[in-house]
Amino acid sequence: MTHSTDSHRPTLSGPPHRLSWGRRLLPRSLALAAALLGLQGLTVLPRVVPQGVMTSDAVAAPLNAVESPPQVAQWIENEIYALRQSQRRWIEIDLTEQRLTAWEGDHPVYAVFVSTGTYGTPTPTGVYEIYVKYEQASMSGPGYHVPDVPYVMYYDGNYGIHGADWHNNFGTPMSHGCTNVAPDHAAWLYSWASVGTPVVVRY
């Protein structure tokens, strides 16, 4: 629903690990992206990066990789493989199929059609983690303001998964970049996922 230029900026409190803004990529993902790009000697350190500020060399590696889609796609596939070998809960958002699947390791436990970003306001691909959850939140951007959006889970700055009761066209891109889910499905996902749950967005 929101876009990276939207005015909604949630104020966070709590332990420092919950204040990870921007592109929240797993450390091994950064190392893999660096290896794919041939960046030798890159030190990969976990870091708190304020939203919109890309100062870390470690953060620069996967962003530069956007110029090489095949390498990025392989990096995302490697992350999916690792998550499937684990027992972790994780969320996959398939932009081509407009489908969200909740996984526990290699076992899909829930799948729904969603609406992600349109061509003009696309949903970025990558590997992230949910960093904050709100049962309700207001969202604003150019030309819209939606109060009381239900079951919001942010995973990359202002990009998140949330309920949407203003349309019933799931399976078709409709949003400003977030992943729209029918409210009843959003409620299930909200109760199932926690802060730290990986979110993989892919084609």
Side-chain angles (χ1 to χ4, degrees):
M1 175 72 199
T2 60
H3 187 264
S4 56
T5 58
D6 291 346
S7 61
H8 177 65
R9 294 286 189 271
T11 301
L12 302 182
S13 61
H17 74 274
R18 297 183 64 181
L19 300 179
S20 183
W21 291 87
R23 298 193 178 279
R24 180 85 190 275
L25 302 170
L26 305 176
R28 70 175 184 277
S29 304
L30 297 173
L32 179 59
L36 288 170
L37 292 172
L39 300 176
Q40 303 299 324
L42 180 66
T43 300
V44 178
L45 298 174
R47 226 187 231 201
V48 174
V49 181
Q51 185 173 4
V53 177
M54 299 294 180
T55 59
S56 166
D57 289 339
V59 171
L63 294 183
N64 290 341
V66 171
E67 299 171 3
S68 304
Q71 287 92 332
V72 174
Q74 184 60 55
W75 159 66
I76 292 174
E77 288 300 321
N78 289 344
E79 285 298 320
I80 290 173
Y81 178 82
L83 287 166
R84 286 184 173 177
Q85 304 312 303
S86 74
Q87 300 300 314
R88 299 185 68 184
R89 292 182 175 188
W90 59 285
I91 293 171
E92 177 185 20
I93 299 170
D94 186 320
L95 301 177
T96 301
E97 299 294 330
Q98 290 293 290
R99 192 171 185 87
L100 180 152
T101 305
W103 295 81
E104 293 181 4
D106 196 32
H107 303 288
V109 296
Y110 204 83
V112 295
F113 285 111
V114 298
S115 291
T116 61
T118 63
Y119 180 80
T121 55
T123 301
T125 59
V127 181
Y128 312 95
E129 291 181 0
I130 294 170
Y131 68 85
V132 70
K133 297 170 59 177
Y134 297 106
E135 286 196 25
Q136 288 188 330
S138 295
M139 296 182 175
S140 299
Y144 71 92
H145 173 76
V146 184
D148 303 325
V149 177
Y151 306 115
V152 180
M153 300 188 292
Y154 287 109
Y155 60 80
D156 176 30
N158 284 341
Y159 293 101
I161 301 164
H162 61 76
D165 58 7
W166 49 88
H167 75 83
N168 191 29
N169 200 22
F170 301 103
T172 302
M174 294 281 293
S175 81
H176 290 84
C178 281
T179 297
N180 289 184
V181 184
D184 54 342
H185 297 309
W188 187 94
L189 289 165
Y190 188 89
S191 65
W192 177 83
S194 59
V195 170
T197 297
V199 177
V200 178
V201 186
R202 60 188 289 267
Y203 283 103

